[in-house]
């Protein structure tokens, strides 16, 4: 079975400060890991993914995430937050050993990021 | 630009009605998914399909059915709508096998059952 935990329902940060949105995962094998962002009343948009290779992954809008295998974590980060980054963020995982139809991702419950002036 | 299109952004239906939510993708993706999103519960998988006329139950299929007659179209059907099916419904698609490519999502349909 595969699972994802986002321990924080909400993260508040001041504009210009660094931000971190936490994600931990559980898979039997090695993971594919994803971050998505959702703006109000919209679908989810892809931010970045970790498949293999460098543990630091860079994505859209200045976001990056660090894969830590020993801690089974994939935290989302940004050096300097913007008010426009305020949104709902989802982490997702897939065990690369899973075969068959669907390629199902398992999503976390989401973290609401609020960036204030 | 590749797209997943959900036919309605907002929908209001009455209890007991049969409701159809439509999703179309133009990326020739084999896999298609229906999720519902509720505050504090994240995304929960209702049904998915990995080929035409194929379907599999997700985590919460009760009260729903699906249809995939053509590769590009995946329909979610609420056989008899109930108020506890008021939710945001998200459609997504992906390549198969493509497990490392993630999903492309539609903009969502916010369904209210009164």
């Amino acid at each position: 079975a595969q699972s994802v935990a986002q321990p924080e329902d909400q993260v508040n940060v001041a504009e210009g400060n660094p931000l971190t949105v936490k994600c931990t995962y559980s898979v039997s094998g090695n993971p594919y890991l994803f971050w998505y962002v959702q703006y109000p009343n919209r679908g989810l948009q892809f931010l970045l993914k970790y498949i293999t290779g460098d543990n630091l992954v860079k994505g859209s809008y200045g976001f990056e995430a660090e894969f830590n295998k020993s801690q089974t974590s994939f935290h989302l980060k940004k050096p300097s937050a913007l008010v426009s980054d305020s949104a709902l963020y989802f982490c997702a995982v897939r065990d690369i050993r899973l075969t068959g139809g669907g390629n199902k991702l398992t999503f976390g419950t989401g973290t609401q990021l609020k960036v204030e002036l | 630009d590749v797209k997943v299109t959900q036919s309605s952004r907002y929908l209001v239906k009455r209890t007991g009605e049969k409701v159809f939510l439509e999703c179309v993708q133009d990326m020739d993706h084999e896999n298609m998914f229906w999720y519902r999103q509720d505050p504090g519960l994240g995304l929960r998988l209702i049904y998915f399909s990995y080929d035409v006329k194929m379907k599999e139950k997700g985590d919460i299929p009760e009260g729903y059915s699906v249809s995939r007659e053509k590769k590009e179209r995946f329909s979610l059907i609420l056989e008899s709508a109930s108020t506890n099916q008021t939710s945001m419904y998200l459609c997504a698609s992906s390549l198969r096998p493509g497990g490392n490519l993630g999903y492309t999502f539609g903009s969502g349909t916010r369904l209210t059952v009164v």
Side-chain angles (χ1 to χ4, degrees), chain B residues 41-105:
Chain B
L41 298 177
L43 275 66
R44 294 182 290 168
L45 182 63
I46 305 171
Y47 268 96
F48 66 100
S49 167
Y50 53 87
D51 205 348
V52 177
K53 297 191 184 294
M54 304 300 290
K55 60 185 179 183
E56 287 196 24
K57 294 179 180 179
D59 300 319
I60 52 163
E62 296 78 19
Y64 303 94
S65 63
V66 289
S67 172
R68 193 162 180 205
E69 296 297 318
K70 295 183 177 181
K71 190 175 185 181
E72 67 270 19
R73 186 180 296 271
F74 191 37
S75 303
L76 179 69
I77 304 157
L78 284 66
E79 298 291 344
S80 178
S82 63
T83 55
N84 62 13
Q85 292 178 310
T86 292
S87 185
M88 173 72 126
Y89 289 88
L90 294 169
C91 176
S93 71
S94 73
L95 279 171
R96 181 183 182 212
N100 61 340
L101 298 177
Y103 296 173
T104 301
F105 281 88

Side-chain angles (χ1 to χ4, degrees), chain A residues 23-97:
Chain A
C23 171
T24 59
Y25 67 89
S26 176
V27 296
S28 300
N30 289 318
Y32 293 140
L33 291 156
F34 303 82
W35 276 101
Y36 289 85
V37 60
Q38 185 182 35
Y39 298 100
N41 295 312
R42 304 302 300 270
L44 276 67
Q45 298 176 30
F46 171 80
L47 267 183
L48 52 79
K49 65 181 179 183
Y50 171 82
I51 303 300
T52 187
D54 195 347
N55 289 344
L56 185 63
V57 178
K58 294 189 184 296
S60 306
Y61 313 120
F63 283 93
E64 58 190 27
E66 187 167 10
F67 171 63
N68 187 317
K69 189 172 183 177
S70 63
Q71 296 184 6
T72 61
S73 67
F74 189 55
H75 300 330
L76 182 69
K77 300 181 180 184
K78 188 174 182 182
S80 179
L82 298 172
V83 171
S84 58
D85 293 330
S86 299
L88 185 58
Y89 291 81
F90 288 95
C91 183
V93 69
R94 182 179 182 274
D95 188 329
I96 66 172
R97 300 186 315 167

